[in-house]
Amino acid sequence: MSIVEPGGRGLLIVISVLSALPAAARAQTHESHGRPLAVGASAVGLLTRASPALAGRALSEGYITQPVLLGMARWRAAAAQLMVNLEGWTLDRGELNAGNAGEGYVDRRHPHTFLHEAIAAVQTERDGWSASIAAGRGFAPFGTDDPMVRPFIKYPANHHWSQILERWTAIAAVRRGPVLVEAGLFNGDEPMGPESLGRISRWGDSWAARLTLLPGHGLELQASHAGIESPEHATGGGLDQRKWSASARVETELDGVPLYGLVEWARTTEFSDGRRAFAFGSTLGEAAADLGAFRVAARFERTTRPEEERLESAFRSARPHADENIIGVTRWQIATVHAARRLHAGGIGVAPFVEVSFLRAEEITGSIFDAVEHYGSASQWSLSAGVRIGAGARHTRMGRYAAAVPVH
């Protein structure tokens, strides 16, 4: 068993989040001078065994993952929210998550930035219209909800195809009846590490737009498109991306049983000087049901990703990468099942869980990367167990702000 960041900083994060939980439970929502305030804290204690993880070897690791502190405030037509993500201190090596790739990590989920969200918004409603302007650091109006607020612990491999997060962005949203439209500008460069705040000088070089339809009965349909300039090269000059996303989401009840479902399709095409270089796609379906205090969920995805030269660590790749010099494209097929039991103690929620994934990786371009040789098998297993703890406010629709939050 290998424990990531077992001392110093990891222990500090555990103490910080745990000490925040009682306060979050007591002050879940209160009034201060007419201004509603809400605070929250949560984290996941996680053990993962991946077999094989590399060259036929299994790895077992433990983490404190998704440790976050959340604050929300509202006053009249104005609202603000702040989320601090402390994975930069607990996931320095990344979290074993085969199929994932991004920000220099491969087959490990990278730590998110300390300043995950800091958004202020103003919203107005009149004659059946609702409109808002939101600005700050957060999610661009593209794709589906962040996996952190969905039923599973392990992130899907399509995370970087299906969301655009941790950017300086300004978003205008308008809703009339069942139709909701968003458009936003942001800086294209991806974070270079947990401390990264992005380049303000690049603000406005990238854009995204999203159309959402709410036909009723908890159903939600969305389609979005984005153009991102040089996400992998912070100084610019790298490959540009054009991204498409479409999804159907439902949240309803059947005979008193809360149900959730999501089907999504995403495609990212990379361009060099206006010439198409590569294209990657994903389809994903997931569903969950709450059976009393138990939650059961299942997910299947089929996602392609580029393979790049690895560094001395086989779980890391160079950043910025050598653009058009990828060594292959792998198609990942991943089936995941999840079961959790919700408990409550003194206003603090505790949810022990088990999550199992079966994965297959196949190189589809005939390039030099050999998935079977690299991993030691054509198929892999991932077994995770742990406990999610949280209190106070929590995100329910991370990635949408003000008038863009669907209200069914």
Side-chain angles (χ1 to χ4, degrees), residues 86-254:
L86 303 174
E87 289 177 338
W89 288 348
T90 64
L91 291 183
D92 183 59
R93 281 201 292 150
E95 176 188 322
L96 282 172
N97 205 153
N100 260 240
E103 300 187 19
Y105 289 77
V106 186
D107 296 320
R108 289 182 182 269
R109 183 175 68 79
H110 61 80
H112 289 102
T113 61
F114 291 112
L115 187 60
H116 193 63
E117 279 189 302
I119 292 285
V122 177
Q123 181 175 349
T124 184
E125 297 185 11
R126 185 174 181 178
D127 298 331
W129 290 84
S130 180
S132 66
I133 297 177
R137 183 170 170 82
F139 288 72
F142 176 85
T144 51
D145 292 354
D146 188 276
M148 190 184 300
V149 296
R150 286 152 54 184
F152 305 88
I153 299 298
K154 293 300 181 183
Y155 274 45
N158 71 5
H159 180 35
H160 279 255
W161 303 152
S162 297
Q163 293 88 35
I164 304 171
L165 66 160
E166 297 176 334
R167 306 298 214 280
W168 293 106
T169 183
I171 304 168
V174 177
R175 177 176 177 177
R176 173 73 174 181
V179 180
L180 198 166
V181 179
E182 304 161 79
L185 297 174
F186 56 95
N187 61 297
D189 55 309
E190 285 187 346
M192 295 296 291
E195 300 87 0
S196 176
L197 290 177
R199 292 180 176 251
I200 295 294
S201 61
R202 287 194 53 186
W203 184 86
D205 68 3
S206 301
W207 56 270
R210 177 165 54 194
L211 169 66
T212 304
L213 302 179
L214 306 170
H217 304 289
L219 180 61
E220 178 181 314
L221 308 173
Q222 81 77 33
S224 47
H225 186 37
I228 309 180
E229 182 174 323
S230 185
E232 297 282 352
H233 291 248
T235 57
L239 295 181
D240 301 328
Q241 293 183 350
R242 292 292 180 268
K243 302 172 76 71
W244 288 91
S245 169
S247 67
R249 181 186 187 276
V250 65
E251 194 165 5
T252 187
E253 286 193 3
L254 181 63

Side-chain angles (χ1 to χ4, degrees), residues 21 343-345 347-351 387-391:
L21 289 173
L343 307 168
H344 294 276
I348 297 175
V350 180
V387 59
R388 186 197 297 269
I389 57 175

Side-chain angles (χ1 to χ4, degrees), residues 59 72 143 185 216 402:
L59 290 178
M72 299 178 177
L185 297 174

Side-chain angles (χ1 to χ4, degrees), residues 6-18:
R9 293 182 301 178
L11 180 59
L12 177 62
I13 296 309
V14 175
I15 294 173
S16 298
V17 173
L18 291 180

Side-chain angles (χ1 to χ4, degrees), residues 315-328:
F315 295 103
R316 300 298 296 271
S317 61
R319 289 202 73 206
H321 65 73
D323 277 345
E324 300 182 42
N325 191 30
I326 67 173
I327 60 174

